Amino acid sequence: ITQLSIQYCNALVEDSTLRASFFPSFNFSVNANTAFDTDGRNQIINPLLTNLVGDNLTSQPSDDAISAELNNLIDTLTTCRNDTSCANDRTATVVKASCAAVLGSAVTLIQ
């Protein structure tokens, strides 16, 4: 399941047309150190919640709980060596990881 989630999210982010459709406002060309400000995080997290998490299910975590976990993941993944700058492809990697975390999670699979 994890490998399928990672492959799906990799294909989504690597295809510029698909990613522009899924994450329409996010600037993938900005370095990860600055791409994930409050607006940037919302431009990634909100589409993930809208497109990958069900609504009105009997048992599921709240969107706020999922957002908090994704914010923690983004914090961890955007801490780069020497706190100077991340590699050029780090922004896309963080988005892929965030996508895979939601898509491969119990909130998607069990429901």
Side-chain angles (χ1 to χ4, degrees):
I1 303 283
T2 301
Q3 289 179 351
L4 287 172
S5 298
I6 292 168
Q7 288 301 318
Y8 173 86
C9 293
N10 182 62
L12 173 66
V13 172
E14 289 299 318
D15 184 307
S16 59
T17 302
L18 290 175
R19 77 176 181 211
S21 175
F22 201 91
F23 306 107
S25 302
F26 188 74
N27 185 352
F28 282 85
S29 64
V30 177
N31 188 285
N33 295 90
T34 57
F36 296 99
D37 60 6
T38 301
D39 288 338
R41 286 171 190 247
N42 289 335
Q43 292 164 355
I44 295 303
I45 293 172
N46 291 340
L48 292 173
L49 295 174
T50 300
N51 295 303
L52 300 181
V53 176
D55 289 329
N56 300 317
L57 300 174
T58 304
S59 174
Q60 72 185 68
S62 69
D63 284 356
D64 288 342
I66 298 168
S67 293
E69 291 301 324
L70 289 172
N71 272 304
N72 290 337
L73 177 64
I74 291 169
D75 285 343
T76 299
L77 295 176
T78 56
T79 302
C80 300
R81 279 187 248 149
N82 302 325
D83 291 327
T84 53
S85 65
C86 297
N88 291 338
D89 63 346
R90 187 62 162 215
T91 299
T93 300
V94 173
V95 175
K96 291 175 193 178
S98 299
C99 173
V102 175
L103 187 59
S105 71
V107 71
T108 304
L109 302 174
I110 293 175
Q111 303 299 336

